[in-house]
Amino acid sequence: MQVYFIGAGPGDPELITVKGQKLIAAADVIIYAGSLVNPELFSQVRPGVEIYNSATMNLEEVMDVMLSSVRQGKVVARVHTGDPSIYGAIREQMDILEKHGVPYEVVPGVSSFLAAAASLKKEYTLPGVSQTVILTRVEGRTPVPEKERLISLAEHQATLCIFLSVHSLKEIVEDLKTAYPEDTPVAVVYKASWPEEKIIQGTLSTIAKQVEEEGISKTALVLVGRFLGDEYDLSKLYDANFSHGYRSAEK
């Protein structure tokens, strides 16, 4: 038997992959990431399945459940929010499984930054605006390497998706103002794809006050860049005057 690390998606229970959903339904043991994973995902689990909320557990306790369950011939679903490869802290878990010779598989999921773009009906990589998306966070309990400080990343004026940091929005705005114009559009998306989702849109000059008035201090993404605006170049992909391997240019 083995362990499956499963990306549960951003919140909407229909945004998990078919594979992830099937594995959860077939699991003997489920360990899920607390309030960030929608409990509706477990409405179709097997009778007698063991369910653990890892929000109340430390790494040793999580691994003890995994290892003991596998030794008993059980299938373990380790369910993380979004996609487990982004701020999922799965590497340390996988390394321990490897040391014990336990087979595991990672099943990708829909990240919240993708759900946020869908809710906003925006495209992160607009021609003539930005072709680079930076996923980052500000320093908290987990330090950020010096070269990855927000004030350094801001110099690129790329599309920014800032995770786990809305509580520091005032400081974020001040750092970004060193490189981005004050009228740069900003969106804060609270609990993307959940029923209680909220979208707040403004600029670097206004967003901190707007978010404070809404009382949002966690579980939100901060999205920054001109991709939120309305000016961009048309893509060459569908340009009638542009040839590629599947289509000749019109004459």
Side-chain angles (χ1 to χ4, degrees):
M1 294 298 172
Q2 69 178 62
V3 174
Y4 293 93
F5 292 93
I6 299 169
D12 182 340
E14 293 186 343
L15 288 179
I16 190 171
T17 64
V18 174
K19 183 172 185 177
Q21 189 177 49
K22 286 180 177 179
L23 288 169
I24 288 173
D28 302 300
V29 178
I30 296 170
I31 310 171
Y32 74 102
S35 61
L36 297 174
V37 171
N38 194 329
E40 288 186 34
L41 288 169
F42 311 133
S43 61
Q44 311 260 335
V45 298
R46 295 172 58 184
V49 66
E50 301 171 41
I51 300 179
Y52 298 85
N53 179 353
S54 63
T56 63
M57 304 164 73
N58 60 36
L59 177 61
E60 184 177 348
E61 290 169 334
V62 169
M63 298 313 300
D64 281 347
V65 171
M66 283 192 198
L67 295 171
S68 63
S69 298
V70 171
R71 291 190 192 107
Q72 295 171 48
K74 296 178 179 178
V75 173
V76 179
R78 177 64 169 116
V79 185
H80 285 264
T81 184
D83 181 273
S85 68
I86 302 175
Y87 305 115
I90 63 169
R91 175 64 186 271
E92 57 198 29
Q93 299 174 63
M94 294 188 294
D95 285 350
I96 292 171
L97 293 177
E98 288 190 7
K99 287 178 182 177
H100 287 82
V102 174
Y104 64 89
E105 182 179 332
V106 181
V107 180
V110 177
S111 173
S112 59
F113 87 95
L114 301 171
S119 294
L120 286 163
K121 298 181 174 65
K122 297 295 183 181
E123 180 182 352
Y124 286 130
T125 53
L126 285 178
V129 176
S130 176
Q131 293 293 290
T132 300
V133 182
I134 297 176
L135 310 182
T136 190
R137 62 170 297 176
V138 299
E139 186 163 283
R141 292 183 181 179
T142 301
V144 173
E146 189 65 34
K147 291 182 180 180
E148 295 181 13
R149 302 276 180 177
L150 201 55
I151 201 165
S152 298
L153 298 179
E155 294 178 7
H156 300 286
Q157 293 194 29
T159 295
L160 274 179
C161 300
I162 307 172
F163 287 72
L164 307 168
S165 305
V166 71
H167 60 281
S168 300
L169 189 54
K170 289 181 180 179
E171 293 81 0
I172 288 171
V173 165
E174 291 308 308
D175 283 346
L176 295 181
K177 281 181 180 178
T178 62
Y180 290 83
E182 291 198 10
D183 65 349
T184 300
V186 182
V188 171
V189 183
Y190 170 76
K191 299 198 78 170
S193 85
W194 290 73
E196 56 268 41
E197 174 188 274
K198 280 187 180 180
I199 296 174
I200 303 166
Q201 297 193 70
T203 67
L204 284 177
S205 297
T206 66
I207 197 67
K209 184 177 180 181
Q210 291 173 270
V211 170
E212 184 178 14
E213 289 172 350
E214 290 288 339
I216 294 172
S217 60
K218 61 181 181 179
T219 328
L221 277 167
V222 181
L223 309 174
V224 183
R226 296 287 178 191
F227 78 95
L228 290 163
D230 296 318
E231 295 183 8
Y232 61 94
D233 298 335
L234 295 180
S235 169
K236 296 298 183 184
L237 182 60
Y238 301 109
D239 187 337
N241 299 309
F242 184 77
S243 297
H244 56 66
Y246 294 94
R247 189 187 67 232
S248 298
E250 294 181 6
K251 296 180 181 180

